Each structure stands twice: as C-alpha cells, then as structure tokens.
Amino acid sequence: MTRAANINLPARVLKEAEKVVVASGYQGLNMRRLASKVGVSATAIYHYFDSKEAILRELRVRAAEKLNDRIRGIDPGLPPHAFIAELGRQYLGYAQENPNLYRLLFEAPFDARAEARKDHPVLYFTYVAARDALERR
C-alpha cells in the first residue's frame, strides 16, 4: 500500500531549507537534517526533489525574486546613469540584508544545463533592467 502524496510537503521543505540557508549558508544544507526539521524521511523529500541541487535551484529563484522586487521599485523614469547607480544600491542593500541568499544567488555553483528555461526571466531580470536603462540613453 502506497501513501498518498503530501501536497504541502514541497512548500514546507523549501521553507525550512531557506531558513537553513539564511542561517548557515547554502553549504549548510544537509538533506537528512532538513528531513528531520520537516518531520519526514529524506526519501520523502526525494519524492518531490531530485537532489539537494534541485532544492537549491528553487531557493535561487526565490532569492532572485526577492532581489527583483527591490529592483522593480526603482523609478523607470530615472536617467540611465541614475538608474544604474540605484540598481547598484539595491544590489548592495540586498547583499547586506540577506548575505547568505546573496551568496546562494551569485556564488553557489550550479549546473547551467539544469537551470530550467522557465526560470530564465527571473534569474536575468536585473540584467534586462540594466540593459534597458542603458539602451534608453
């Protein structure tokens, strides 16, 4: 007899995994300890996530979304040089407020082939914002 899928488990896993990364950095994520925090076996987590790297990919997208929210708040009517300067301030502010999420986003190794195309707009939002500002001149 197989157990019914727990539709809330992926969200719980990601929530706990993000807490670990915020507190200890992406290197501190351990699947057995994560499973223990969530109250399930590591096998249960692997039912929803192929690997620890899959969880880190999801967390990378979440971290990018948080940074993107800050960048969306920049006045698009600013002159290009002022927009780029504010973009830099937002990056620095995010890095200071969320150092381990920033490291996950920009320092953690990842397999570019494994990054899903659906994540492309989220992960490259700031690049597009900067490029668009520079093209406005």
Side-chain angles (χ1 to χ4, degrees), residues 58-127:
E58 290 292 326
L59 294 179
R60 181 179 287 113
V61 170
R62 286 179 171 207
E65 287 171 340
K66 290 176 183 182
L67 176 58
N68 295 348
D69 287 344
R70 292 179 71 119
I71 292 165
R72 284 185 189 94
I74 300 172
D75 179 0
L78 288 173
H81 66 281
F83 185 92
I84 297 298
E86 184 59 26
L87 182 67
R89 283 190 285 278
Q90 291 303 321
Y91 263 82
L92 288 174
Y94 182 83
Q96 290 168 341
E97 293 168 20
N98 307 284
N100 285 330
L101 292 179
Y102 186 85
R103 286 184 190 101
L104 171 66
L105 191 52
F106 295 107
E107 296 176 6
F110 68 96
D111 180 354
R113 294 169 295 155
E115 295 292 331
R117 288 196 184 277
K118 68 180 177 68
D119 298 337
H120 178 76
V122 173
L123 296 172
Y124 293 96
F125 179 81
T126 57
Y127 163 76

